């Protein structure tokens, strides 16, 4: 008889902060690039290059945005905002090493910037430096105790490293801040299942109750029943998962259910 362990679906999101530290009144009209070009012609300051770089970023002109940010940095190498915005642009371009460098510069300039730690963690995770990312998320949490996204992201990283007890602690913090977070209940349920915690089913049930039309919640609960030989109507869950659009459930329906 074939013995299989089916992998759970983890609800994952890794978020980065958007560009910040920009005075919105500087970029309110359609001619902003023309205005900034004129300003740079008469006053080629770091500030003007920074604002033009940001406007280029908003218009998806990333090559010119990088060029302007580079010029702004050369004129003012100690401006936190320029490094932070350029770091975010590097994130968007998936240039994670350069993003890490810019956020590291931000931290050197302001060691209490939780957002710089958060974004550096995001970039580190993208190059599979999970331990470094966890350290940065932890620092971000130290600086901002109600940082829900940092707890969620750190929990997911701990899950990836099979640190399920620690992941459970993080997902619990998310649930305290957002008691209706389906993602957090799902992720905590799976981590609990992996360490054979008896109350894993409670979290699976809660996720289903919070999102009764979410295919993945039913699918994960069915896998819990199957993988750990827990008594439960896994066929009903698999069929609901399939009916709500999760097509891979069909394979398990054929294997385990009378259809």
């Amino acid at each position: 008889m074939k013995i299989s362990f089916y992998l759970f679906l983890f609800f994952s999101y890794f978020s980065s902060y958007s560009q910040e530290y920009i005075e919105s009144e500087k970029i309110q009209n359609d001619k902003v690039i023309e205005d900034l070009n004129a300003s740079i012609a008469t006053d080629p300051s770091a500030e003007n290059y920074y604002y033009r770089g940001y406007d280029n970023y908003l218009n998806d002109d990333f090559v010119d945005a990088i060029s302007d940010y580079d010029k702004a940095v050369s004129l003012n190498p100690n401006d936190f905002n320029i490094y932070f915005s350029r770091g975010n642009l590097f994130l968007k371009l998936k240039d994670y090493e350069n993003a890490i460098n810019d956020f590291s510069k931000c931290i050197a300039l302001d060691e209490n910037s939780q957002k710089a730690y958060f974004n550096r963690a995001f970039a580190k995770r993208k190059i599979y430096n999970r331990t470094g990312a966890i350290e940065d998320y932890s620092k971000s949490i130290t600086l901002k105790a109600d940082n829900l996204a940092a707890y969620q992201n750190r929990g997911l990283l701990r899950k990836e490293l099979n640190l399920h007890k620690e992941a459970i602690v993080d997902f619990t913090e998310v649930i305290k801040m957002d008691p209706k977070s389906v993602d957090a209940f799902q992720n905590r349920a799976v981590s609990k299942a992996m360490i054979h915690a008896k109350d894993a089913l409670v979290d699976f049930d809660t996720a289903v109750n919070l999102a009764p039309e979410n295919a993945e919640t039913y699918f994960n609960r069915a896998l819990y029943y199957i993988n750990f030989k827990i008594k439960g109507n896994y066929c009903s869950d698999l069929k609901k998962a399939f009916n709500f659009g999760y097509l891979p459930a069909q394979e398990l329906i054929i294997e385990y259910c009378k259809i």
Side-chain angles (χ1 to χ4, degrees), residues 5-230:
F5 187 92
Y6 297 96
L7 297 178
F8 291 103
L9 300 176
F10 274 85
F11 279 53
S12 304
Y13 72 90
F14 284 89
S15 303
S16 65
Y17 284 94
S18 61
Q19 298 239 358
E20 298 187 1
Y21 307 110
I22 186 75
E23 296 177 26
S24 59
E25 64 267 21
K26 297 280 186 179
I27 51 172
Q28 285 184 342
N29 62 72
D30 294 336
K31 296 182 179 179
V32 64
I33 288 292
E34 295 177 11
D35 293 342
L36 287 168
N37 287 343
S39 296
I40 288 171
T42 58
D43 178 20
S45 64
E47 181 182 36
N48 283 332
Y49 278 108
Y50 171 64
Y51 286 131
R52 191 174 70 176
Y54 181 76
D55 195 71
N56 282 325
Y57 168 86
L58 292 179
N59 288 291
D60 294 334
D61 187 351
F62 301 138
V63 173
D64 284 344
I66 289 289
S67 177
D68 281 339
Y69 285 149
D70 288 348
K71 184 64 175 178
V73 165
S74 71
L75 293 168
N76 187 354
N78 295 307
D79 190 311
F80 176 100
N81 300 341
I82 302 170
Y83 289 107
F84 190 78
S85 290
R86 190 175 66 175
N88 278 333
L89 178 50
F90 283 133
L91 285 182
K92 193 174 185 69
L93 295 172
K94 300 182 180 180
D95 185 349
Y96 301 117
E97 293 286 358
N98 274 323
I100 290 169
N101 290 337
D102 274 352
F103 294 129
S104 294
K105 185 64 177 178
C106 288
I107 291 166
L109 292 167
D110 180 5
E111 62 182 10
N112 292 317
S113 172
Q114 66 87 16
K115 294 181 180 181
Y117 281 106
F118 185 99
N119 279 14
R120 191 172 71 173
F122 178 90
K124 285 181 177 180
R125 183 259 175 183
K126 287 293 188 178
I127 61 170
Y128 300 101
N129 181 2
R130 295 184 177 93
T131 301
I134 287 172
E135 291 173 355
D136 279 351
Y137 281 129
S138 296
K139 183 64 176 180
S140 183
I141 289 168
T142 298
L143 293 167
K144 187 175 187 292
D146 62 346
N147 193 334
L148 183 150
Y151 279 111
Q152 180 83 331
N153 288 358
R154 189 176 68 177
L156 290 167
L157 284 165
R158 286 172 163 174
K159 176 272 301 181
E160 291 177 7
L161 294 173
N162 292 318
L163 300 172
H164 292 292
K165 290 183 179 179
E166 293 86 347
I168 289 167
V169 172
D170 282 340
F171 297 137
T172 299
E173 290 299 319
V174 175
I175 290 167
K176 287 179 183 177
M177 288 182 269
D178 182 5
K180 295 184 178 180
S181 173
V182 176
D183 291 2
F185 277 107
Q186 277 275 82
N187 287 327
R188 190 174 72 173
V190 175
S191 280
K192 285 182 176 181
M194 298 305 294
I195 62 170
H196 302 280
K198 294 182 178 179
D199 60 343
L201 183 56
V202 175
D203 281 351
F204 283 116
D205 289 344
T206 301
V208 168
N209 292 334
L210 287 171
E213 295 185 1
N214 186 308
E216 286 82 1
T217 61
Y218 291 104
F219 187 73
N220 270 352
R221 187 169 67 177
L223 294 188
Y224 177 63
Y225 292 141
I226 294 169
N227 284 334
F228 297 96
K229 297 180 172 57
I230 305 296

